[in-house]
Amino acid sequence: MELLLASGIGVLTTAGVWLLLRARTFPVMLGLTLLSYAVNLFIFSMGRLAIGAAPVIRDGVERYADPLPQALVLTAIVIAFGMTALLLALSVRMGYDSGTDHVDGRGGGKP
Amino acid sequence: MTLILIVLLPFLMAALPRLAGRAHRRRCALLAACAPALSLALLLAHAPAVFDGTVLQAGGPWLPAIGLNFTFMLDGFGFLFALLILAIGLLVILYAHYYLSAQDDPSRFFCLLLLFMGSMLGVVLSDNLLLLVVFWECTSLSSFLLIGFWRDRSEARQGARMALAVTGAGGLALLAGVLLIGYITGSFELSEVLDQREMLQGHPLFPLALILVLLGAFTKSAQFPFHFWLPHAMAAPTPVSAYLHSATMVKAGVFLLARMYPLLGGNDLWFLLVTGVGLVTLVFAAWVALFQQDLKGLLAYSTISHLGLITLLFGLDTPLAVVAGVFHIINHATFKASLFMAAGIIDHETGTRDLRRLNGLARYMPVTATLVAVAAAAMAGVPLLNGFLSKEMLLAKTVAIDTGTWADWLIPVMATLAGAFAVAYSLRLVHDVFFNGEPVGLERTPHEPPRWMRVPVELLVVLCVLVGVMPNLLVAPLLDVAVSGVLLGNVPEYSISLWHGFNLPLAMSVVALLLGSAIYFGLQGGYNLHLYRDDGVSAKRLFDRLLETTVSIARLVTGGMQNGSLQRYLWLMVAVTLAAGALPFFLDDYSLGDELLLPTNGAAIAMWLAVVAATVATVALHRRRLLSLIAVGAVGLLVSLTFVLFSAPDLALTQLSVEVVTVVLLMVALRHLPATTPVEGSLPRHLRDALLALAAGIGMAALAYAALTRPLASISTYFLEQSVPKGGGSNVVNVILVDFRSFDTLVEILVLAVAGLTIHALLSGFAAPGRGPVPDPHEARPLMLRVLARLILPFALAASVYLFLRGHNEPGGGFVAGLVTAIALLVQYMASGRDAVPGRAHAGAPGPAAPPGEEGFDRWIAAGMFSVGLTGLGAVLIGFPFLTSSYAYFDLPLLGKVPLASAMFFDVGVYLTVVGSTMMMLASIGRVTTVPGQPAGPTPPAPDAAARAVRMEAS
């Protein structure tokens, strides 16, 4: 199970970095999204994997999932969302301002 | 407390002169004099205790974690310096009142002067070494501003920059040295560190610490080879030169030497460095001073030389030499400050400081001439004046050196020689300015200055004479207590007197006087000093060269790295991160742990396959944007399923709702972006990116797998145990977010709020030029969706209320509830068009009513942040730290017994901010309108443009 998760994180990272390095804004946003999945899963996995562990406190339950990485990842998900949204607004505005969706503003109608 | 006030008063009252305004010079000066007068009174109030030998301490912790404390110490030595700083400061303020011209802004001048005064007091009274360094830097900064006071003059700006560069660099070295001392001794408090001499000097890092501290002292005190900044600092107004660059700031270096002497002195390295540098500076600067054509230049080099003398004395490493050094600090401050002020008077009355033009002034300003003659005689070491006494002590100490090496005779000879040069330049100062013919080409006939402008000079010169005649009566007690401060109470037997009988030092004095006179009249008669031109290799030129080289290298590096392409920065950043991450793999062994692994099941394998397939699809389809967006959505859903699998329902809920919102946002944005991505980029570039991506992926997988197979030592036990008793909630994740780590959450929603507002600022009301989506008011909306959306809304809102209320004990909470509400509103938007959203927000949800337009959502954000901040401040009001929470149990219908924590109000704030920000983003992006009928906006580039882009990328 651990190997599955680790390799999944690897696949997501590879795809994320590849898309991040593309020249157009939209693939970059997709890459960032994939990369944030990978990073969130990575942070989450630092609490180790638990199947069927209790997520909330119950009387008589001994085995709990590690809450700390979960709290961290919950924050990370929201921040990643804010970042993606901001990037998106930037690329829409830049697209209109420069006439191209190239990240360096090349090849557009305006300098 | 009053001790701290001595230092703080100048800072606190620095703004006072500003209040008077630049038009009222007298008022400015009077207000500026308040702070030093008060501080001086406070200082004198402490005098009895200090003279009894007590060391006063005051202050408290500032940043105790790094050893930085706001602690001050007043002993005899600090008292002496504080007295000099405040007394001469008052005189300088009086003097500057007359010196400044109508064009100068007196309020700015006095404000800066007070800032400097406070910094200097901080340096001499700090107990904490780090605090001392902080004030040390403050003196460099205020000195920079004061040298550059006439900012329209290029030599003032250059001089200021050079002084800052040299003393600032020295300050950094001092900081490093102090950190080393703290590291070795375990404390930064001077009062504690001074006892640990043996331990410090036995440490292998001691030589390094010593050299670093000395670098700080030498740069500040303008010791060779760092002396060159001081002559260029003479571009400052003369009160500044008198105050900073002769009496006080440059003395900070020798102050540090004296302070550190009990700790760092008493070894060969100290003797070698301090004596050597002091000796070279003493002789070299005295010789150079003789050839200056600028009156202030002569005084500057003379100051350097005298600082060299004091340095030399501390280097000699005997208690008696320390006595002589401290004595000379007092004497030099009195005669040099008076000489600088006199130079300012001459400059003020004649309009020039050029020694070649200033001649025969004795006829026009006889009183000033007398004053200068007396002060210069003190500088030259003529008997019956204070300079004679300390110089005599120096000569006696150099004769007493007994190391058994050539230093035994070299140092006395060089000291005599330097004494001769001092006599020569003092003679030149008096002879050249006041006699030696007639003034050349002056614009006006010089006359005596205003009565009160001369008073500070007179006072100081009278002191020179009185100390010279009656040293034991006037200065001995002060000297005694100051030396006892330096030597930690072990004052040696010494006597100051005019007459020690016929002995070697006296003979050396006489030789210096005769030789110096011969040198001056010989040079002036045979060679005419006025014709001398300095055109050798100057330190300034070397400094400039060094600066230019540094700047051009920096420019080369920056230009080479940063060509303006974001794409390039991105891959460089990824590559560097990758290299940093890869380093431990190669330095340490990569090994797996031996924890028991979870067994794999079919569902997990299926999910893994699905994730890989969806990810590959995202990449493969990324040129067809809508398809790849759908694929990315699939990946997100699978990730949230992963969270379900591994017992993290909170994460699953959040991931799911964020996923929905993100995909919708991306879809809306796609209306404004091209639908496809063109093929571009060269093969090597693709290979490079592929390599980077693969390396990153493999690295992350290896890292995750290694961590997962190793045992876990988690701090989470604390949160699991304390969640119910302390936080009043059984959903630990939520309690962590809104209680234990609520400050993190506060900042996090702040980020979200800022993102929302930024998007609003970027896109709100933005009318896109070009061929974007044209708004169609009659655009058909799917009937089914419209109906369903209406139906769903109440249920979705109820669900979000439910999720919110149970969040503290069951999976849920403010984030998820906010996102669910946002999705509900989003569906309305999609079904009914953009105008429907604000109305729904008005009707459907708790919180303030939204006025028409998306601007309503800023109120949601504001209300959210307000609620969060209020919850935090509420705790402060009842005497707990910010954001402390408390709770009680309540019985609610349907939900049963519910603990109502104050954290609930915090969560309300989270909820409101999340809804507000999300809707703000959506509405802003959705509302971008296009002006129809204009030429193309962003479209895939035409073939030739694409080819050009490829060429540019390849380059």
Side-chain angles (χ1 to χ4, degrees):
Chain A
M1 195 65 90
E2 276 80 359
L3 192 60
L4 282 182
L5 185 70
S7 56
I9 291 173
V11 169
L12 285 171
T13 311
T14 309
V17 171
W18 167 263
L19 287 175
L20 198 64
L21 297 176
R22 296 305 90 214
R24 302 285 160 164
T25 51
F26 193 74
V28 171
M29 281 187 278
L30 293 183
L32 200 67
T33 313
L34 287 180
L35 203 58
S36 65
Y37 294 151
V39 171
N40 289 345
L41 282 174
F42 182 82
I43 300 174
F44 174 68
S45 71
M46 289 304 108
R48 306 300 183 267
L49 306 184
I51 294 180
V56 296
I57 307 280
R58 289 276 180 274
D59 288 337
V61 174
E62 284 299 313
R63 208 165 65 91
Y64 290 103
D66 194 337
L68 193 59
Q70 293 196 20
L72 291 178
V73 171
L74 211 152
T75 311
I77 292 175
V78 178
I79 296 273
F81 163 63
M83 191 169 66
T84 310
L86 184 60
L87 192 64
L88 196 136
L90 272 174
S91 40
V92 167
R93 177 71 193 258
M94 196 195 87
Y96 283 117
D97 281 354
S98 69
T100 169
D101 65 336
H102 193 290
V103 287
D104 292 338
R106 285 176 190 162
K110 296 174 192 173
Chain B
M1 189 59 215
T2 49
L3 183 54
I4 302 177
L5 270 185
I6 294 176
V7 177
L8 289 188
L9 274 176
F11 283 114
L12 295 176
M13 297 167 81
L16 274 186
R18 292 302 259 177
L19 296 179
R22 58 176 300 159
H24 304 90
R25 198 148 44 124
R26 179 182 295 273
R27 219 179 287 168
C28 281
L30 275 176
L31 286 172
C34 291
L38 279 174
S39 284
L40 188 61
L42 286 175
L43 182 75
L44 291 178
H46 288 299
V50 171
F51 278 86
D52 280 346
T54 32
V55 176
L56 302 167
Q57 282 176 314
W62 181 6
L63 291 173
I66 59 165
L68 175 56
N69 292 321
F70 203 66
T71 48
F72 293 95
M73 171 183 90
L74 179 67
D75 65 349
F77 192 52
F79 180 84
L80 167 68
F81 258 89
L83 188 67
L84 283 178
I85 293 162
L86 290 167
I88 297 185
L90 276 170
L91 295 180
V92 164
I93 289 172
L94 172 64
Y95 175 79
H97 164 54
Y98 292 98
Y99 177 85
L100 292 177
S101 71
Q103 289 88 45
D104 303 327
D105 179 355
S107 65
R108 185 160 67 91
F109 181 84
F110 287 117
C111 175
L112 292 175
L113 203 70
L114 284 178
L115 288 180
F116 165 77
M117 191 182 288
S119 319
M120 194 65 206
L121 287 168
V123 169
V124 300
L125 296 182
S126 288
D127 187 14
N128 188 281
L129 282 171
L130 290 174
L131 187 66
L132 187 148
V133 176
V134 171
F135 283 120
W136 184 279
E137 292 295 320
C138 288
T139 60
S140 292
L141 290 175
S142 47
S143 159
F144 169 79
L145 294 171
L146 281 166
I147 298 171
F149 179 72
W150 287 316
R151 17 190 191 199
D152 48 330
R153 301 187 186 175
S154 78
E155 81 261 20
R157 293 196 301 270
Q158 279 177 17
R161 214 161 46 215
M162 188 187 283
L164 185 67
V166 176
T167 57
L172 285 181
L174 174 64
L175 175 62
V178 161
L179 288 176
L180 270 181
I181 291 176
Y183 165 72
I184 297 171
T185 60
S187 168
F188 286 110
E189 303 300 310
L190 256 176
S191 41
E192 293 166 19
V193 170
L194 286 179
D195 300 334
Q196 311 212 30
R197 174 164 181 245
E198 306 298 322
M199 202 257 259
L200 179 69
Q201 300 209 359
H203 198 278
L205 281 175
F206 169 71
L208 184 61
L210 174 65
I211 289 172
L212 287 170
V213 171
L214 288 183
L215 270 178
F218 289 164
T219 48
K220 199 72 156 184
S221 278
Q223 295 296 292
F224 184 85
F226 310 111
H227 61 282
F228 56 89
W229 69 266
L230 188 57
H232 291 282
M234 292 300 136
T238 302
V240 173
S241 310
Y243 191 40
L244 274 70
H245 304 123
S246 88
T248 57
M249 188 184 87
V250 290
K251 295 271 169 51
V254 286
F255 168 84
L256 190 72
L257 283 183
R259 257 287 176 257
M260 292 293 190
Y261 168 68
L263 183 67
L264 303 177
N267 52 70
D268 288 345
L269 190 60
W270 169 279
F271 177 77
L272 197 72
L273 283 176
V274 182
T275 311
V277 168
L279 191 66
V280 170
T281 311
L282 167 67
V283 181
F284 162 79
W287 173 250
V288 176
L290 193 48
F291 296 94
Q292 295 303 304
Q293 307 293 11
D294 177 8
L295 182 54
K296 278 174 79 179
L298 188 153
L299 290 175
Y301 274 102
S302 140
T303 304
I304 296 172
S305 170
H306 280 271
L307 290 167
L309 189 155
I310 300 169
T311 304
L312 169 66
L313 280 168
F314 286 116
L316 290 181
D317 211 356
T318 63
L320 282 171
V322 170
V323 177
V326 175
F327 192 27
H328 200 67
I329 289 176
I330 307 176
N331 294 338
H332 180 255
T334 44
F335 66 67
K336 194 50 71 62
S338 64
L339 281 174
F340 263 112
M341 289 187 202
I345 290 175
I346 293 165
D347 187 9
H348 200 250
E349 299 307 322
T350 62
T352 179
R353 303 191 315 239
D354 192 334
L355 287 172
R356 287 165 295 196
R357 291 169 62 196
L358 292 167
N359 298 308
L361 288 187
R363 208 138 42 82
Y364 304 99
M365 32 202 330
V367 184
T368 309
T370 318
L371 291 171
V372 170
V374 175
M379 178 161 78
V382 172
L384 290 181
L385 295 165
N386 58 358
F388 170 73
L389 297 171
S390 43
K391 183 156 281 186
E392 197 82 340
M393 284 168 97
L394 159 79
L395 293 173
K397 297 308 161 291
T398 56
V399 173
I401 299 174
D402 182 22
T403 58
T405 59
W406 44 266
D408 292 358
W409 59 263
L410 180 74
I411 296 178
V413 168
M414 295 308 271
T416 316
L417 195 62
F421 292 151
V423 172
Y425 67 66
S426 304
L427 256 176
R428 176 163 189 217
L429 173 65
V430 179
H431 182 252
D432 231 0
V433 174
F434 295 106
F435 305 97
N436 202 14
E438 278 298 302
V440 185
L442 294 189
E443 285 146 22
R444 48 183 183 262
T445 310
H447 55 79
E448 288 288 347
R451 178 76 201 85
W452 282 93
M453 188 176 186
R454 223 171 48 209
V455 165
V457 188
E458 287 165 355
L459 272 173
L460 290 169
V461 168
V462 166
L463 263 180
C464 287
V465 179
L466 287 181
V467 169
V469 178
M470 302 179 290
N472 286 313
L473 197 68
L474 272 172
V475 79
L478 184 62
L479 181 60
D480 229 44
V481 73
V483 170
S484 133
V486 175
L487 296 175
L488 308 179
N490 311 310
V491 186
E493 282 289 314
Y494 68 94
S495 75
I496 321 172
S497 69
L498 279 171
W499 185 248
H500 282 111
F502 290 106
N503 55 13
L504 195 53
L506 186 69
M508 289 158 78
S509 268
V510 174
V511 168
L513 277 173
L514 294 177
L515 185 64
S517 314
I519 291 175
Y520 173 64
F521 288 107
L523 279 174
Q524 191 68 291
Y527 174 76
N528 193 355
L529 281 171
H530 287 184
L531 299 178
Y532 176 78
R533 241 174 241 287
D534 175 24
D535 47 17
V537 181
S538 71
K540 177 184 182 330
R541 225 171 287 169
L542 283 176
F543 176 82
D544 287 346
R545 184 75 53 78
L546 186 72
L547 214 62
E548 273 164 30
T549 318
T550 317
V551 168
S552 60
I553 289 174
R555 205 165 276 161
L556 211 68
V557 172
T558 314
M561 301 272 293
Q562 313 225 330
N563 64 350
S565 162
L566 296 177
Q567 212 184 351
R568 179 198 180 111
Y569 300 166
L570 210 52
W571 86 255
L572 278 174
M573 216 155 78
V574 170
V576 171
T577 315
L578 208 56
L583 209 56
F585 276 97
F586 296 111
L587 290 183
D588 304 315
D589 284 337
Y590 175 77
S591 65
L592 300 177
D594 46 6
E595 281 291 285
L596 276 178
L597 300 185
L598 291 174
T600 311
N601 56 35
I605 293 178
M607 265 168 60
W608 185 85
L609 286 173
V611 167
V612 172
T615 312
V616 169
T618 310
V619 176
L621 295 171
H622 84 267
R623 302 197 186 286
R624 297 161 74 186
R625 295 183 167 177
L626 191 60
L627 290 180
S628 64
L629 180 57
I630 293 169
V632 130
V635 179
L637 293 182
L638 288 162
V639 168
S640 74
L641 273 181
T642 312
F643 289 134
V644 174
L645 176 65
F646 295 121
S647 324
D650 268 306
L651 291 189
L653 275 171
T654 315
Q655 177 69 55
L656 192 67
S657 35
V658 161
E659 197 50 46
V660 173
V661 179
T662 310
V663 169
V664 171
L665 275 178
L666 281 167
M667 255 166 69
V668 175
L670 214 46
R671 286 160 58 101
H672 301 280
L673 292 170
T676 55
T677 306
V679 183
E680 56 193 340
S682 56
L683 185 63
R685 184 184 202 118
H686 280 140
L687 278 177
R688 182 198 71 202
D689 291 352
L691 214 64
L692 282 175
L694 262 178
I698 292 171
M700 281 283 273
L703 211 58
Y705 190 59
L708 281 169
T709 52
R710 292 182 189 186
L712 169 71
S714 175
I715 56 169
S716 297
T717 335
Y718 171 82
F719 297 113
L720 286 168
E721 281 167 359
Q722 302 300 332
S723 176
V724 174
K726 283 199 177 157
S730 50
N731 180 4
V732 189
V733 176
N734 183 268
V735 174
I736 290 177
L737 286 175
V738 300
D739 191 337
F740 289 121
R741 307 289 304 163
S742 50
F743 198 70
D744 294 356
T745 312
L746 189 158
V747 179
E748 177 204 345
I749 60 168
L750 188 65
V751 168
L752 203 61
V754 169
L757 292 172
T758 312
I759 292 170
H760 176 65
L762 270 173
L763 294 179
S764 171
F766 173 68
R771 201 183 56 194
V774 179
D776 175 11
H778 309 294
E779 194 179 3
R781 305 273 167 184
L783 182 66
M784 289 289 281
L785 185 61
R786 262 185 359 231
V787 174
L788 266 176
R790 292 276 155 85
L791 276 175
I792 284 172
L793 183 65
F795 292 105
L797 290 177
S800 75
V801 171
Y802 174 66
L803 280 171
F804 176 81
L805 282 178
R806 69 177 218 154
H808 218 48
N809 291 312
E810 302 284 332
F815 274 122
V816 179
L819 286 166
V820 169
T821 305
I823 292 170
L825 296 174
L826 214 82
V827 173
Q828 304 305 304
Y829 172 84
M830 289 199 298
S832 317
R834 57 182 142 256
D835 296 327
V837 181
R840 286 277 84 77
H842 178 73
E854 78 204 44
E855 286 76 15
F857 293 113
D858 55 7
R859 302 233 177 135
W860 283 65
I861 299 176
M865 294 309 297
F866 188 68
S867 161
V868 165
L870 214 61
T871 315
L873 285 177
V876 176
L877 275 185
I878 52 174
F880 288 98
F882 188 61
L883 282 173
T884 310
S885 77
S886 64
Y887 67 95
Y889 284 93
F890 294 94
D891 271 316
L892 288 184
L894 277 180
L895 290 159
K897 195 173 164 193
V898 166
L900 197 58
S902 70
M904 195 74 120
F905 297 105
F906 185 87
D907 225 9
V908 170
V910 173
Y911 170 84
L912 289 173
T913 314
V914 169
V915 176
S917 301
T918 312
M919 291 316 292
M920 181 81 111
M921 291 167 185
L922 182 88
S924 300
I925 295 175
R927 270 168 189 277
V928 172
T929 52
T930 33
V931 184
Q934 285 192 5
T939 46
D944 61 322
R948 199 169 63 235
V950 171
R951 274 202 307 280
M952 282 171 74
E953 278 170 43
S955 62

